[in-house]
Amino acid sequence: MTEAAIEADAGILLDKMLIAIQLQRGKNVYLTQLSEAPYFKRQLALIQPKLIFVFGEKAAQTLLSSNETLDALRGKVHQYEGCALIASYAPVHLLTQTQDKAKAWADLCLARDTVLAMK
């Protein structure tokens, strides 16, 4: 399988994950890659999200200034720049490590419940 095909499958999986908790890209979800810190912080200032959902260990460690593993970071609500942050597995990880899908589902439910509690 090519890298492009894997990325496409990961995107499809992400869309299915979002739909399962009544979210949709371009409607009530904004996706971005973690790039240069000033650019990312500017995006946050403009969008003012209620919640940041971080996919993958490296991104979670970067935003949380942590060396902890993803398994240690996931499953709880963190704070980043005054915004709730939840870390979970990247969809591309879930394509090959299917045993982590239940944990990812729990993280999505935590995100949904966190946002609902803010209303």
Side-chain angles (χ1 to χ4, degrees):
M1 189 176 258
T2 68
E3 187 175 325
I6 292 169
E7 290 295 324
D9 287 349
I12 292 167
L13 177 59
L14 174 58
D15 287 336
K16 288 179 180 180
M17 292 165 65
L18 293 171
I19 288 168
I21 59 168
Q22 289 88 42
L23 295 175
Q24 188 176 357
R25 283 195 220 202
K27 198 171 194 179
N28 49 11
V29 171
Y30 174 76
L31 298 176
T32 187
Q33 299 233 349
L34 181 60
S35 56
E36 298 296 319
Y39 178 75
F40 182 74
K41 288 182 179 186
R42 181 71 181 135
Q43 285 182 312
L44 291 180
L46 291 171
I47 297 164
Q48 298 181 350
K50 294 180 181 179
L51 174 80
I52 300 168
F53 195 91
V54 181
F55 293 104
E57 184 173 80
K58 182 143 177 76
Q61 289 172 334
T62 298
L63 289 179
L64 295 172
S65 300
S66 174
N67 291 322
E68 292 189 74
T69 65
L70 182 59
D71 284 326
L73 294 171
R74 54 161 298 281
K76 56 188 108 168
V77 180
H78 302 273
Q79 291 294 311
Y80 176 80
E81 302 283 325
C83 185
L85 182 146
I86 295 173
S88 191
Y89 301 99
V92 72
H93 168 88
L94 297 172
L95 292 174
T96 58
Q97 305 298 316
T98 57
Q99 72 276 7
D100 290 333
K101 284 185 176 181
K103 293 178 197 174
W105 174 249
D107 295 335
L108 286 169
C109 291
L110 175 60
R112 178 198 59 211
D113 294 346
T114 300
V115 170
L116 288 174
M118 292 176 185
K119 291 184 176 184

